[in-house]
Amino acid sequence: MRNNSVVQVGRGPLTARFGASLPLAVIAGPCQIESRAHALETAAALKEIAARRSVGLVYKSSFDKANRTSGSAARGVGLEKSLPVFAEIRETLGLPIVTDVHETSQCARLAEVVDALQIPAFLCRQTDLLVAAARTGRAVNVKKGQFLAPWDMKNVVAKLDAAGAADVLVTERGVSFGYNTLVNDMRALPIMARETGAPVIFDATHSVQEPGGRGTASGGQREFVAVLARAAVAVGVAGVFIETHPDPDHAPSDGPTMVSLKDFEPLVAELQEFDRLAKRKAEPA
């Protein structure tokens, strides 16, 4: 088992640090890049919130939603148009960035403009993809598949370790339970931490997703994002993953699960209070 209990994502003063005993850090951003202007506007707003809350924040957005329910659904602007957007956010705002990869050929190119690569839940056991991501030298965040037990993630992390990955995060996003339903077992969070030795992230927005619940699109229960996030932080996690959008009801993907940007800062503030309590050191007798 690895013993890298703290993972740093980014460079310079806005580096985000994830660790079980460190203050809570956040991965946040809109589900997909919709335009350069939209991405820069949202990233700038998140940077201001992170500064006010003194919280480490990694900006997340996808260049391609390759696993949409319907083949006709909006997938994003694509790799070529996204590369300069990521580079601009990183250079002008200084925010660290993470984005999903779906194919081995994408890893090296994205590693030039982002600080971490994310392996989607459906692809978490794809060995070639894990190896390609690890070999870039960037931090790797792996989402636990909806079909895996938490202890199974030790095998995923072992593949990354064997490929030379130095910084690994593992993310819980719910388990398939019947049709179009995900549930969360909060026991999975300490189990994954124990079994993998990696900092654990809780994905509060995808955990309330209803996969394929709208027939040609996934549904979701946004009202339970804060409920599950509070529970996970109370258990004790290194970070939370929260997709946020200025107008989620009109977002091209994952609108039913994303938190409105106006509600993001109050939620983070509340989670920080839970985090301080969960990580408070016991006073000597």
Side-chain angles (χ1 to χ4, degrees):
M1 185 182 75
R2 70 185 359 255
N3 188 29
N4 192 8
S5 59
V6 175
V7 168
Q8 295 191 167
V9 181
R11 54 186 179 171
L14 297 181
T15 296
R17 301 177 74 238
F18 295 86
S21 60
L22 296 178
L24 188 75
V26 180
I27 298 173
C31 179
Q32 62 174 265
I33 292 183
E34 299 173 27
S35 69
R36 171 184 172 274
H38 183 269
L40 285 166
E41 176 187 354
T42 308
L46 289 171
K47 179 182 178 179
E48 292 178 2
I49 291 170
R52 286 195 294 268
R53 298 305 316 163
S54 298
V55 64
L57 186 140
V58 179
Y59 178 80
K60 179 272 167 187
S61 202
S62 298
F63 63 90
D64 178 21
K65 303 303 293 183
N67 61 352
R68 296 301 306 275
T69 302
S70 170
S72 62
R75 291 180 52 166
V77 300
L79 179 62
E80 297 303 329
K81 291 183 178 180
S82 297
L83 290 171
V85 175
F86 287 138
E88 186 174 0
I89 291 171
R90 194 167 174 236
E91 294 303 321
T92 62
L93 297 177
L95 279 177
I97 297 173
V98 62
T99 194
D100 318 76
V101 289
H102 308 94
E103 302 174 10
T104 57
S105 60
Q106 297 168 347
C107 295
R109 296 192 66 193
L110 282 162
E112 296 177 1
V113 295
V114 304
D115 302 277
L117 300 175
Q118 183 167 281
I119 308 297
F122 288 130
L123 300 177
C124 69
R125 298 206 311 187
Q126 294 296 106
T127 302
D128 290 345
L129 184 60
L130 292 166
V131 170
R135 287 179 175 171
T136 66
R138 295 299 186 192
V140 180
N141 179 31
V142 188
K143 290 195 172 185
K144 180 178 74 63
Q146 299 92 324
F147 45 86
L148 288 183
W151 46 83
D152 292 330
M153 284 297 284
K154 66 178 181 294
N155 299 315
V156 174
V157 173
K159 291 180 183 181
L160 291 166
D161 286 341
D167 294 311
V168 176
L169 300 167
V170 293
T171 295
E172 172 62 73
R173 58 144 299 163
V175 179
S176 294
F177 185 78
Y179 298 119
N180 307 124
T181 305
L182 297 174
V183 297
N184 273 276
D185 178 0
M186 293 299 166
R187 296 175 301 174
L189 302 172
I191 291 172
M192 279 208 295
R194 182 188 70 210
E195 294 293 319
T196 67
V200 174
I201 310 299
F202 180 72
D203 183 343
T205 42
H206 288 96
S207 287
V208 301
Q209 190 180 68
E210 296 170 328
R214 294 186 172 184
T216 58
S218 291
Q221 297 177 301
R222 185 188 305 145
E223 65 270 27
F224 293 117
V225 170
V227 174
L228 291 180
R230 289 194 296 263
V233 173
V235 169
V237 289
V240 288
F241 180 112
I242 301 173
E243 286 190 335
T244 184
H245 190 283
D247 185 11
D249 289 333
H250 293 94
S253 58
D254 280 4
T257 63
M258 282 194 284
V259 171
S260 177
L261 190 58
K262 66 179 176 59
D263 299 324
F264 179 77
E265 185 169 1
L267 176 57
V268 170
E270 185 178 28
L271 295 179
Q272 287 179 304
E273 291 297 320
F274 275 81
D275 182 65
R276 279 189 279 270
L277 180 62
K279 295 173 181 174
R280 184 180 61 187
K281 293 183 179 179
E283 297 180 0

